[in-house]
Amino acid sequence: MAQPAARATVLIVEDDDDLREILVRGLGERGLKSVGYGSAELALSAYGQHEIDVALVDLKLPGMDGIAMCGRLSEQPRPPAVVLMTAFGSVATAVKAVRAGAADFLVKPLDLDVVAHRVHRVLDEQRVRAEARRLRAAVDRADGFGELEGTSVAMRQAYDLLARSAPSDASVLLSGESGTGKELAARALHRQSRRSDGPFVAVNCSAIPEQLLESELFGHAKGAFTDARTDRPGLFARAHGGTLFLDEIAELPMPMQAKLLRALEERRIRPVGSDAEQDVDLRLITATNRDLEERCETGEFREDLFFRINVICVQLPPLRARGTDVLQLAQIFVEQFAESAHKNIVGLSADAAQRLCDYRWPGNVRELKNCIERAVALTEHEEIVPGDLPERVRSFRASHVVVAADDPSELPSLEEVERRYILRVLETVNGSRSTAARILGVDRKTLYRRLERYKNAGN
Ligand SMILES: Nc1ncnc2c1ncn2[C@@H]1O[C@H](COP(=O)(O)OP(=O)(O)OP(=O)(O)O)[C@@H](O)[C@H]1O
Ligand SMILES: [Mg+2]
């Protein structure tokens, strides 16, 4: 059967010079560009010079063997599919090969047509997987990303940036108020990355006591401290080959910030109490609900670390800036909770929907979700009505910046309008004073002074 012309490069690692040459030539004649090396070490040192899609590796090699080579190849930024070749076609060897991550294995003596056919098959599988990833990303880009829902302009911008950054290895900083979906976004980024088969390790930096952080992150050697009875790998090592998600990164104490920066720059860690360093290959995602730029200015966060983790910054907008997303999400949550509670509830009454739109949602999607869960549990109607909503939501009155009133005594003073407007802008930009000052066209000091004044006046 004629195979489509492939531009793929096949890496052949075989210590028998004659066989290696036959393979390189034979595969070349069958449309597969190939390069050959006599040992794993040579192949690895030249690895970056070619775009390798498939590696054909002999099991028995001088020096590093085929199984170890398989492990090393899986650590490459763009790992190739590995086909192991062996003269010993036992079940035990096959199992060993598959465990080591090989996509296929061939028993010698080799028939060149069979080798070419199997390489093409592995390449086809690779293409199908890449295409599935691409399609999944395209679908997500249209009306959501992973489990993130909502179709507001602000969210579509976030989905677009998330979808474009997913396949790369660049560090992503997710910023947004509490409950805006940062963790959901981090998990979806991992699932749509080329590391999706690897681990996803989530760490909440503020939940680990300062004195334990280093050993939790980097691991420790036996005897490093009183309770260290055995070597213990840290979260960095557990995330090897996958994604490490550092949540609430702003809370990382200064000394750890320096150690984290070093680990990220050198891509190496040293467990507490150990002399040996370990290589780590992972994609870093961080999240914060603080203004990190401001923290850099006040000296609470290292600027060099900030640049390192902030290669791509995705802002998740607060729910109140997401227009009718609040109703879309509410409907989704009503259906979800009604189904699991076996209740027949179709949606929201017009009045309840209006209250949800007016409310400011300081706890964002998390607060909305809890609010709907409660309403579904309590309601005795087919629709959620205002009475099913918590008091704070039900009785909230939107404070508009400019108040239209017929009675002149109800009109606010200029200073009052200014106060409301400043607070509104600040709310819209997630509390970031530097951004708010830019929008308001005043310098930051002026803004700080106003805010101090409002605080002292009890606002
Ligand atoms: N766009 C969304 N669509 C659907 N569900 C969402 C969305 N955003 C958040 N959620 C849900 O809201 C809850 C909070 O989300 P998540 O934990 O990802 O927020 P977060 O930004 O990490 O919050 P925090 O800063 O408090 O850790 C979760 O139950 C999540 O499933
Ligand atoms: Mg979170």
Side-chain angles (χ1 to χ4, degrees), residues 97-219:
V98 171
R99 279 225 181 104
D104 201 350
F105 95 105
L106 291 163
V107 180
K108 292 178 183 175
L110 302 169
D111 173 327
L112 277 173
D113 285 327
V114 173
V115 177
H117 176 73
R118 301 278 273 274
V119 169
H120 277 297
R121 195 173 67 188
V122 168
L123 281 170
D124 285 344
E125 283 167 9
Q126 239 175 7
R127 277 188 212 112
V128 169
R129 265 203 299 272
E131 180 62 8
R133 252 202 310 266
R134 197 188 62 75
L135 284 175
R136 208 157 51 213
V139 168
D140 279 331
R141 202 180 288 211
D143 56 3
F145 184 79
E147 287 164 18
L148 291 173
E149 309 262 8
T151 50
S152 57
V153 177
M155 279 310 272
R156 277 178 190 278
Q157 278 170 357
Y159 300 148
D160 186 53
L161 199 51
L162 287 167
R164 281 188 289 138
S165 46
S168 92
D169 247 355
S171 300
V172 174
L173 171 66
L174 299 164
S175 100
E177 289 177 19
S178 176
T180 46
K182 297 185 292 296
E183 176 142 6
L184 225 49
R187 288 180 189 276
L189 268 177
H190 171 71
R191 270 203 312 278
Q192 295 188 22
S193 73
R194 60 171 190 78
R195 297 173 176 271
S196 56
D197 292 336
F200 176 86
V201 177
V203 191
N204 185 336
C205 298
S206 71
I208 302 174
E210 186 169 346
Q211 65 277 20
L212 293 184
L213 253 173
E214 186 175 0
S215 82
E216 283 293 313
L217 288 181
F218 301 144

Side-chain angles (χ1 to χ4, degrees), residues 144-150 155 159 174-187 204 245 247-248 287-289 316-317 319 322 325 329 332-333 336-337 363-370:
F145 184 79
E147 287 164 18
L148 291 173
E149 309 262 8
M155 279 310 272
Y159 300 148
L174 299 164
S175 100
E177 289 177 19
S178 176
T180 46
K182 297 185 292 296
E183 176 142 6
L184 225 49
R187 288 180 189 276
N204 185 336
F245 174 48
D247 203 356
E248 306 213 25
T288 182
N289 52 20
L316 290 169
L319 188 54
R322 292 175 54 180
D325 273 3
L329 286 166
I332 292 169
F333 294 146
Q336 272 174 16
F337 289 120
N364 295 294
V365 185
R366 180 182 292 113
E367 187 182 6
L368 174 66
K369 199 169 173 179
N370 291 344

Side-chain angles (χ1 to χ4, degrees), residues 43-56:
L44 283 170
S45 67
Y47 191 81
Q49 295 168 17
H50 315 278
E51 288 249 315
I52 306 292
D53 293 305
V54 180
L56 216 56

Side-chain angles (χ1 to χ4, degrees), residues 2-21:
Q3 297 282 1
R7 261 176 294 133
T9 305
V10 183
L11 170 71
I12 295 165
V13 191
E14 166 62 63
D15 56 324
D16 180 327
D17 296 342
D18 293 338
L19 179 56
R20 188 174 65 245
E21 271 175 32

